[in-house]
Amino acid sequence: VAEVEDMILYPNPARDRVYVRQLPDQQGSLYLFDADGRLLKKRSEVISEAEFDLGNFPAGLYFVEFRSGDGRQIIQGRVVKQ
């Protein structure tokens, strides 16, 4: 389990799905980026938890970023896809 501030990403490393838990109790958006910084997926109106399907992506390092609706809070984490 990898923990960055309030965000927990598991399993890590992941195969098909990564779960994001313990996000702030406020609405925001969750973004998935590849190691080159390209945006791969976005989940809007996220509160406290979400998941991303990594099944169609190659093995490697990915970044998950939460941005609060007001733009004040940004939390980042990393996940490795096997």
Side-chain angles (χ1 to χ4, degrees):
V1 174
E3 183 171 341
V4 178
E5 291 186 39
D6 295 328
M7 182 189 305
I8 295 176
L9 302 171
Y10 70 94
N12 197 0
R15 291 190 184 269
D16 295 322
R17 292 191 179 280
V18 63
Y19 298 91
V20 186
R21 299 287 188 259
Q22 292 188 358
L23 293 169
D25 288 333
Q26 59 180 300
Q27 188 170 325
S29 296
L30 205 58
Y31 302 86
L32 179 68
F33 297 95
D34 67 12
D36 294 323
R38 288 184 292 248
L39 177 63
L40 302 175
K41 290 188 175 189
K42 176 184 176 184
R43 307 261 328 225
S44 299
E45 300 180 13
V46 172
I47 299 176
S48 76
E49 61 184 55
E51 67 182 70
F52 281 115
D53 182 359
L54 302 177
N56 292 328
F57 297 119
L61 178 65
Y62 294 87
F63 296 93
V64 177
E65 182 175 287
F66 172 82
R67 295 181 194 163
S68 62
D70 61 9
R72 285 192 192 167
Q73 190 165 17
I74 298 176
I75 301 171
Q76 297 176 324
R78 295 180 298 211
V79 63
V80 174
K81 182 182 187 259
Q82 292 183 327

